[in-house]
Amino acid sequence: MEKQIVNMLSDIQRNIKELDSNMKELESNMKELRTDVQADMREFRTDLQADMKELRTDVQAEMQEFRTDLQADMKELRTDVQAEMQEFRTDLQADMKELRTDV
């Protein structure tokens, strides 16, 4: 009976040592995983910042192009309206002159 108890205690002691070894390996793996995740997050943050900077630059360029196109369109529209107004004025003056002549 004593021999069985000694064997059982010996098995328990061996299992505890194995568990302790497994726990140390798990801690090591967790530390390595944490380090890897932190490195990945830093890389992700850096990439995201670069992408955002590029996007901001692209949007600013698009807005500048839109502004330039809009200004050109407005200038063209202003010129067209002025020409139409001048033509209307000329026609109106001619009609008024003709009306005066008729009266």
Side-chain angles (χ1 to χ4, degrees):
M1 180 80 156
E2 284 182 29
K3 191 170 185 169
Q4 287 178 331
I5 293 174
V6 170
N7 284 339
M8 287 173 58
L9 288 174
S10 178
D11 286 345
I12 291 172
Q13 189 176 17
R14 190 172 50 254
N15 287 340
I16 289 174
K17 284 182 181 180
E18 188 176 328
L19 179 62
D20 188 45
S21 174
N22 289 340
M23 289 300 291
K24 286 180 181 176
E25 185 178 346
L26 179 61
E27 286 176 11
S28 175
N29 289 341
M30 290 297 290
K31 189 181 274 188
E32 184 179 330
L33 179 62
R34 185 180 306 117
T35 301
D36 290 348
V37 167
Q38 287 173 341
D40 288 347
M41 289 303 293
R42 278 192 297 274
E43 184 178 345
F44 174 75
R45 187 179 305 121
T46 300
D47 291 347
L48 184 60
Q49 287 172 340
D51 290 347
M52 289 299 292
K53 187 175 182 179
E54 183 178 341
L55 180 61
R56 186 180 305 116
T57 301
D58 291 348
V59 167
Q60 287 173 340
E62 289 289 328
M63 288 300 294
Q64 183 58 44
E65 184 178 341
F66 174 75
R67 188 178 296 119
T68 301
D69 291 347
L70 184 60
Q71 287 172 341
D73 290 347
M74 292 298 291
K75 186 175 182 178
E76 183 179 341
L77 182 61
R78 187 180 308 118
T79 301
D80 292 348
V81 167
Q82 287 173 341
E84 289 289 328
M85 288 299 292
Q86 183 58 43
E87 184 178 334
F88 176 74
R89 190 177 295 122
T90 301
D91 290 346
L92 184 61
Q93 287 173 346
D95 289 347
M96 291 296 289
K97 186 176 182 181
E98 185 178 327
L99 186 61
R100 258 189 239 116
T101 303
D102 289 346
V103 169

